Amino acid sequence: MRIFIEKDYDAMSRRMAQIIAAEITHNPACVLGLATGSTPEGAYKYLVDWHKQGCLSFQDVLSVNLDEYVGLAPTHDQSYRYFMQSNLFDHVDIVPENTRVPDGLTKDPAAFCAEYDAYIRSLGYVDLQLLGIGRNGHIGFNEPGDCFVKETHVVDLAESTIDANARFFATRDDVPKQAISMGIGAIMGAKKVLLAASGAEKADAILGSICGAITPHCPGSILQLHPNVAVVVDEVAGSKLKAAGVSVCG
């Protein structure tokens, strides 16, 4: 596991973007597992800028997203499809048909989840999986629980997750209570994983994921078993790693 502690959010975002861009440059037809939220937003801005400068092409890239809220249409401004279009897809040359985001309006969630997993397997899993992490250690929307759920599934969101996401909605009551999330099996099947976090409120989750017991009560801890993980955090998110004496990359 390689750990990078950057001085601030912008430096963290640039490091994330460099890792993603290097993957695309090395393998122009790579499969990217993508995430949403405030953590990757800065990295996506760097990728868009480099594309506009003619340094990076997404023409042959395939993408699969981690998750989507149940009940939100792709056009809803808080849906994750909308986020991806607004922050990345609409600004680069990725082929629309090559992008996949879970369908929050599916009438048959079980069938959809099985099809999503089958599609990911058909790609040979993803080449680089981008992950944020929740304050409670969730990755994707795999919430803390008694077991790791392998398959893509419908998740009942934890109260802490709803609280954390309420800032994006008019009221807390407007936050969806469920989401479709890629399961731990697909995440761990990725050839490489890029885990990122920013802010002091993520410090405990990062420490637990990297140094704590491997337990479904901190879903991010499963990444300790993955052979190729890069962790990129800003100084405050990584503060407890430094205090614990964890080795970091220069």
Side-chain angles (χ1 to χ4, degrees):
M1 188 177 285
R2 296 171 295 135
I3 301 170
F4 301 88
I5 299 179
E6 305 293 345
K7 65 178 182 178
D8 55 23
Y9 177 79
D10 182 68
M12 182 195 83
S13 298
R14 185 176 182 86
R15 174 77 70 176
M16 292 166 62
Q18 288 171 336
I19 292 171
I20 296 168
E23 185 68 29
I24 297 171
T25 301
H26 173 72
N27 179 11
C30 65
V31 181
L32 296 179
L34 299 178
T36 55
S38 56
T39 300
E41 196 169 348
Y44 292 155
K45 288 180 180 177
Y46 272 109
L47 294 173
V48 168
D49 286 346
W50 295 340
H51 168 71
K52 290 181 176 179
Q53 294 166 16
C55 303
L56 189 65
S57 174
F58 291 76
Q59 183 67 40
D60 297 319
V61 169
L62 298 175
S63 74
V64 290
N65 262 72
L66 278 169
D67 41 33
E68 179 61 281
Y69 286 121
V70 170
L72 295 193
T75 53
H76 191 289
D77 64 3
Q78 292 304 320
S79 78
Y80 290 158
R81 166 58 78 173
Y82 186 95
F83 176 96
M84 292 307 307
Q85 295 298 144
S86 300
N87 287 279
L88 184 63
F89 296 157
D90 286 346
H91 309 289
V92 298
D93 58 344
I94 196 165
V95 177
E97 292 76 18
N98 287 348
T99 67
R100 298 289 179 96
V101 179
D103 180 7
L105 297 181
T106 179
K107 301 299 184 184
D108 189 342
F112 174 83
C113 290
E115 290 168 3
Y116 206 67
D117 279 334
Y119 176 68
I120 294 169
R121 287 194 300 271
S122 76
L123 301 175
Y125 292 91
V126 304
D127 293 299
L128 175 63
Q129 177 64 60
L130 174 60
L131 297 173
I133 191 166
R135 297 174 188 178
N136 62 5
H138 74 233
I139 50 176
F141 270 130
N142 292 282
E143 298 282 22
D146 293 331
C147 64
F148 292 108
V149 180
K150 182 179 179 181
E151 299 82 11
T152 296
H153 57 294
V154 175
V155 180
D156 293 325
L157 300 182
E159 292 298 316
S160 60
T161 299
I162 294 171
D163 289 340
N165 291 345
R167 69 189 189 275
F168 299 117
F169 293 83
T171 71
R172 187 183 187 280
D173 290 340
D174 293 324
V175 183
K177 304 304 186 288
Q178 292 184 313
I180 294 174
S181 179
M182 188 186 294
I184 294 297
I187 291 171
M188 292 297 287
K191 298 175 182 68
K192 303 174 186 176
V193 173
L194 169 56
L195 174 66
S198 174
E201 69 276 7
K202 300 294 181 69
D204 284 328
I206 286 294
L207 180 66
S209 294
I210 293 172
C211 300
I214 299 172
T215 169
H217 295 289
C218 178
S221 66
I222 193 71
L223 298 176
Q224 294 177 42
L225 300 177
H226 195 283
N228 194 337
V229 178
V231 179
V232 182
V233 296
D234 63 13
E235 284 192 349
V236 286
S239 59
K240 295 191 177 184
L241 293 178
K242 282 189 172 181
V246 174
S247 297
V248 301
C249 298

